Amino acid sequence: MDDLNVKNPPVLKQFVPTPPRPPRQSKSGIFGTIRQRCFNSIGNSVLTLCVIAVLFYLVKHVLDWAVFNAVFIADNRRQCMDISPDGACWAGVISWFNGLIYGRFPVDEQWRVNVGVLLGLVWLLPLMSKRIPLRNVILLSWIGLYPFVGAYLFLGGRFGAELGWVHGVMTCLALAFLTIIYANWILSVWDKKGLNELFVPLVSRFVERRIHLLSFVAVWLLIALVMAFVVNQVSLEPVAIERWGGLFLTFIIASFAITMAIPIGVVLALGRRSKLPVIHWLSMTVIELVRSVPLITVLFMAVTLLPIFLPADVEFNKLAQVLVAVCIFAGAYMAENIRGGLQAIPKGQYEAAATLGLGYLHTMALIILPQALRMMIPNIMTSFISLLKDTTLVSIIGLFDIMLMARNIANDKDWVGMHTEPLVMISVLFFLFCYSMSQYSLTLEKRLKVDR
């Protein structure tokens, strides 16, 4: 056997290299991408040429109507028709532009709307800086305190008269909190301690626990007293809610509904997953009942049925009734989105929280809900975009939002029958708003790394 193995040694396989592949052709660049995607075959080339021809036809006619043959200066629609019968009459939109933005808000008081909107944006501006700690507190303060400042500017009045004492106190606290935010932001840029940290030595002389919290409260109350003195010296002309309208009113309804949608949705979603039968069935009834009817039905029910269930001496204005209806409607749809995120959380997360000794509230607030909301950002933003567009339905029940103001242009004696131009302008505005929200959603997903 040994001789046989020596005479027949094992055959070794020889490595045969494969022939080299040709270098990959570079298809980068605009023209390379277009050639690869649009002209990579005869069928795609023909289809691309047809689409280009159709787009050229549509864009040419749209530009001719909206720009080249349009009339921007005219006194009435008849004059527009005489100047250019085939072009758009933007003169009517320009004439009504103030009403489309502010509704029937008094012209002399419209600066208050501008200041209120600017103040809301300024409140959120520090969120862009990473130097400020506890940025979530700033967002929560905007949700809880800014509405008082905005309502004070939009409604007007004086302390103790048109402006109630509770509303006045909350307005002063909100302005004081905004002052602290910007003071701490400026001090952080200079690498200085926060404004409330300056009172820590003084507060530490009287208390031994929660020194930083009490020093912040002391600074807050002190600045609020100064704000109360300033606000008390200012007298704003009262403006009834019935005078609100235009894009301003649309933003109020949409922002309030978007702000309240997540809290209401979280409560309903957790209630539907609750093991308590009463809470479970009550939450499920609200969700299914609201999601089974269109928004316009909910609006009509809020305007007609809600006053019936209220005491006789309690009267809500139509805007308050609409806000309640829209918030419940948005919360019901948001509850299902959040419930989907909760179901996607692995069971091991709950078990890990129980192992750490966390209770139900801490488990949901610190572990489960942050992950669920993070995963459902695309669905949540989609609901927000739909909600912004659905707010135009409030014009059906008589609120003078931007849609109803646009329809009123056609009833003006100078612009009778002009329907197309206002609707085109509203479409462009809503496209810009919705597209901006969509792009912000994509940016937020990348920043939070939702897809990983």
Side-chain angles (χ1 to χ4, degrees), residues 310-335:
L310 296 176
D313 55 342
V314 176
E315 294 184 3
F316 279 177
N317 57 67
K318 188 177 293 185
L319 178 59
Q321 298 170 5
V322 167
L323 290 177
V324 172
V326 174
C327 289
I328 295 177
F329 183 84
Y333 276 86
M334 189 60 62

Side-chain angles (χ1 to χ4, degrees), residues 164-293:
W165 286 104
V166 176
H167 189 180
V169 170
M170 295 303 298
T171 301
C172 296
L173 290 175
L175 293 175
F177 196 91
L178 179 62
T179 304
I180 294 175
I181 291 175
Y182 271 85
N184 289 342
W185 190 12
I186 295 174
L187 291 174
S188 65
V189 172
W190 293 343
D191 294 329
K192 303 292 184 180
K193 294 183 178 180
L195 188 63
N196 52 301
E197 297 294 334
L198 301 177
F199 282 73
V200 170
L202 179 62
V203 175
S204 61
R205 297 180 181 180
F206 302 96
V207 295
E208 297 180 356
R209 301 178 59 185
R210 303 184 183 276
I211 299 175
H212 294 277
L213 177 61
L214 293 177
S215 62
F216 175 81
V217 173
V219 174
W220 191 9
L221 295 178
L222 182 61
I223 299 178
L225 291 176
V226 177
M227 292 297 173
F229 176 77
V230 174
V231 172
N232 194 35
Q233 304 301 318
V234 179
S235 177
L236 299 179
E237 184 69 22
V239 178
I241 296 180
E242 289 74 15
R243 302 290 300 275
W244 296 6
L247 187 63
F248 158 61
L249 180 61
T250 301
F251 275 166
I252 288 181
I253 298 175
S255 59
F256 195 87
I258 288 174
T259 302
M260 298 301 298
I262 291 183
I264 296 176
V266 168
V267 172
L268 291 177
L270 294 179
R272 185 164 186 171
R273 290 169 55 89
S274 176
K275 297 181 180 179
L276 299 176
V278 176
I279 298 178
H280 170 77
W281 286 104
L282 180 61
S283 301
M284 188 176 66
T285 302
V286 172
I287 293 173
E288 297 300 333
L289 181 63
V290 173
R291 294 176 72 245
S292 300
V293 295

Side-chain angles (χ1 to χ4, degrees), residues 251 385 388-389 424-440:
F251 275 166
I385 293 174
L388 175 62
K389 294 183 290 186
V424 169
M425 192 206 72
I426 293 176
S427 301
V428 173
L429 286 178
F430 272 87
F431 170 77
L432 294 177
F433 296 144
C434 296
Y435 182 76
S436 301
M437 294 173 66
S438 177
Q439 292 302 306
Y440 176 76

Side-chain angles (χ1 to χ4, degrees), residues 17-36:
T18 58
R21 292 178 295 178
R24 183 178 180 182
Q25 297 181 356
S26 177
K27 298 181 180 180
S28 60
I30 298 177
F31 295 102
T33 303
I34 294 176
R35 187 183 304 109
Q36 180 184 3

Side-chain angles (χ1 to χ4, degrees), residues 8-202:
N8 298 319
V11 180
L12 298 177
K13 293 183 179 181
Q14 296 182 354
F15 173 74
V16 179
T18 58
R21 292 178 295 178
R24 183 178 180 182
Q25 297 181 356
S26 177
K27 298 181 180 180
S28 60
I30 298 177
F31 295 102
T33 303
I34 294 176
R35 187 183 304 109
Q36 180 184 3
R37 296 185 179 181
C38 302
F39 298 96
N40 56 355
S41 64
I42 297 177
N44 285 346
S45 300
V46 173
L47 182 61
T48 300
L49 293 176
C50 293
V51 171
I52 292 175
V54 172
L55 289 178
F56 176 78
Y57 177 81
L58 293 177
V59 171
K60 179 180 179 300
H61 281 73
V62 170
L63 291 178
D64 288 340
W65 175 82
V67 180
F68 301 121
N69 298 329
V71 179
F72 296 91
I73 300 176
D75 295 331
N76 50 60
R77 190 165 182 265
R78 173 56 59 185
Q79 188 175 354
C80 282
M81 297 294 293
D82 294 338
I83 297 174
S84 178
D86 298 330
C89 184
W90 297 116
V93 177
I94 296 174
S95 176
W96 271 74
F97 185 78
N98 191 275
L100 292 173
I101 301 300
Y102 302 100
R104 299 182 297 169
F105 210 90
V107 178
D108 297 336
E109 304 295 330
Q110 289 177 1
W111 63 270
R112 290 155 48 179
V113 177
N114 301 332
V115 172
V117 174
L118 182 62
L119 194 62
L121 298 177
V122 168
W123 200 305
L124 296 176
L125 185 61
L127 294 178
M128 301 176 61
S129 175
K130 296 183 179 181
R131 289 178 172 269
I132 298 181
L134 302 176
R135 288 185 293 175
N136 293 335
V137 177
I138 298 178
L139 181 60
L140 293 177
S141 68
W142 183 82
I143 295 175
L145 296 177
Y146 170 72
F148 294 99
V149 181
Y152 168 67
L153 290 172
F154 303 150
L155 290 172
R158 292 179 60 89
F159 273 120
E162 297 85 4
L163 183 66
W165 286 104
V166 176
H167 189 180
V169 170
M170 295 303 298
T171 301
C172 296
L173 290 175
L175 293 175
F177 196 91
L178 179 62
T179 304
I180 294 175
I181 291 175
Y182 271 85
N184 289 342
W185 190 12
I186 295 174
L187 291 174
S188 65
V189 172
W190 293 343
D191 294 329
K192 303 292 184 180
K193 294 183 178 180
L195 188 63
N196 52 301
E197 297 294 334
L198 301 177
F199 282 73
V200 170
L202 179 62

